[in-house]
Amino acid sequence: MKIAFWSNGGDNMCVTSNMACITSIISLKNAGMKRELLLENHFNKERGLEKVLIQQDKIDFLRETGGYYVKYGLEYILKRIFIGETHEEIIKSSTINLLLSNMFLLPSGMVFNKEVFNYDFSLVHNELFEMLEKVGDYVFIDTESNQNLSTKQILYDADIVVVNLSQNSKNIYDFFENYTSLREKAVYIVGKYQPEKRWNRKKICYEFNIPRNKIGVIPYNSEFSEALEYGKLQYFLNYNFTGPVRMENEYFMRQCKKSANIILNMISEVKKKKERQQRQIYIDDICKSGISEFGMRPEYSRQKINSYK
């Protein structure tokens, strides 16, 4: 299952922090039962996933050992695919284990030229996602906001697009007026949410006819922001998820859990839809063969098989 986090509003839309938060909550909810892979197609080391999910001393250690940019990273995997290596072990050996045991980060690696990366990605994206989905139950992609080649491909391939909105009317109108093609597979997250602002969740739902079960929020929280700054996000969430929650964090955690549930429910819906489609393909194949397993004519066999759904 491929889930892309994306925004139409540029680099200051909290896409990375929202994704890191939601995926960590989902991991805690699943209690290690589902394997999550996290990756990104942008290369800002000051705002990337590794910055918010890994403490600086661990990053420094990996770099000092000399393998950080060679053994780890999406760029490394793309090179292996180009020479015909598509086995799952490449993914497993190129990821970094995070604090939560079922979460693995695939850093972008050492990207010298973004244009070359985007071109390479476009050539092997099918093989890449096939490999990733064999290793992980959920593949979460922190997607660059500009419409470069790899971003367009990720948004097209994704089963679900988590659209990250702000409470700025310009950003909101821009998405709903210019990106209608994404709405069918979209859910929405409003980052740094403040309920007292004019464009709150209720108003956004009303203005753009969004069901309440398709839009979540991640409230502004000073401790959350500090945890992001020092790579301690998962420590902060794990403590507040399992232990006693202080009053100032209770609203934040409650809304984050609701937002995670929105995405989990969407994942469930997409899985059921895929199962129905696969079953219909199976039925069509039987009917096209002329004589079905029931020994009937195609028209009647279709009715008979559908009765078993």
Side-chain angles (χ1 to χ4, degrees), residues 201-244:
R201 176 167 43 187
K202 183 178 180 180
K203 181 173 177 61
I204 296 171
C205 289
Y206 176 78
E207 290 288 337
F208 300 102
N209 194 29
I210 302 173
R212 287 293 294 268
N213 65 348
K214 296 292 184 182
I215 182 168
V217 302
I218 296 181
Y220 175 77
N221 180 281
S222 58
E223 285 191 44
F224 174 66
S225 299
E226 185 175 347
L228 291 170
E229 181 69 24
Y230 293 101
K232 295 184 177 181
L233 168 69
Q234 293 194 329
Y235 290 93
F236 169 77
L237 293 175
N238 187 51
Y239 177 81
N240 285 282
F241 190 92
T242 57

Side-chain angles (χ1 to χ4, degrees), residues 56-115:
Q56 190 61 43
D57 56 350
K58 183 174 182 180
I59 295 175
D60 293 340
F61 171 77
L62 290 170
R63 288 175 177 159
E64 287 169 7
T65 58
Y68 186 79
Y69 289 124
V70 178
K71 182 180 177 182
Y72 299 101
L74 181 55
E75 179 74 1
Y76 168 77
I77 293 175
L78 295 181
K79 286 180 169 56
R80 307 318 295 175
I81 295 175
F82 268 115
I83 63 173
E85 295 184 18
T86 58
H87 52 84
E88 300 169 25
E89 290 304 316
I90 296 176
I91 302 292
K92 293 178 182 178
S93 64
S94 302
T95 54
I96 300 173
N97 291 55
L98 298 174
L99 172 67
L100 302 177
S101 60
N102 64 325
M103 291 183 69
F104 302 86
L105 173 64
L106 177 58
S108 53
M110 184 175 283
V111 177
F112 294 102
N113 189 304
K114 290 185 179 182
E115 287 72 24

Side-chain angles (χ1 to χ4, degrees), residues 11 16 40-51 108 114 144:
D11 295 332
T16 299
E40 57 198 353
N41 76 323
H42 61 86
F43 320 106
N44 188 335
K45 296 302 178 185
E46 296 303 313
R47 297 180 180 177
L49 287 168
E50 65 183 58
K51 172 72 175 177
S108 53
K114 290 185 179 182
E144 192 169 20

Side-chain angles (χ1 to χ4, degrees), residues 143-275:
T143 311
E144 192 169 20
S145 60
N146 64 23
Q147 290 290 294
N148 60 40
L149 195 58
S150 62
T151 289
K152 290 179 180 178
Q153 196 64 62
I154 290 167
L155 295 178
Y156 179 82
D157 289 341
D159 299 296
I160 299 167
V161 176
V162 182
V163 178
N164 293 257
L165 299 172
S166 70
Q167 291 177 269
N168 178 285
S169 60
K170 183 179 179 181
N171 162 248
I172 297 168
Y173 276 108
D174 176 64
F175 173 78
F176 288 103
E177 290 175 358
N178 298 313
Y179 298 93
T180 54
S181 62
L182 294 176
R183 290 195 65 172
E184 184 178 352
K185 58 181 180 181
V187 292
Y188 307 91
I189 296 291
V190 184
K192 289 186 178 179
Y193 181 72
Q194 298 179 60
E196 67 276 9
K197 285 192 173 182
R198 180 170 182 265
W199 282 93
N200 57 27
R201 176 167 43 187
K202 183 178 180 180
K203 181 173 177 61
I204 296 171
C205 289
Y206 176 78
E207 290 288 337
F208 300 102
N209 194 29
I210 302 173
R212 287 293 294 268
N213 65 348
K214 296 292 184 182
I215 182 168
V217 302
I218 296 181
Y220 175 77
N221 180 281
S222 58
E223 285 191 44
F224 174 66
S225 299
E226 185 175 347
L228 291 170
E229 181 69 24
Y230 293 101
K232 295 184 177 181
L233 168 69
Q234 293 194 329
Y235 290 93
F236 169 77
L237 293 175
N238 187 51
Y239 177 81
N240 285 282
F241 190 92
T242 57
V245 182
R246 295 206 302 270
M247 185 179 298
E248 57 267 33
N249 293 331
E250 191 277 331
Y251 173 70
F252 174 83
M253 290 300 299
R254 177 158 43 89
Q255 294 301 323
C256 288
K257 290 176 182 179
K258 286 182 178 180
S259 297
N261 283 337
I262 287 171
I263 294 173
L264 285 171
N265 290 338
M266 186 70 168
I267 289 172
S268 179
E269 290 177 18
V270 171
K271 281 183 177 179
K272 290 177 182 178
K273 182 179 179 180
K274 283 187 172 183
E275 289 170 359

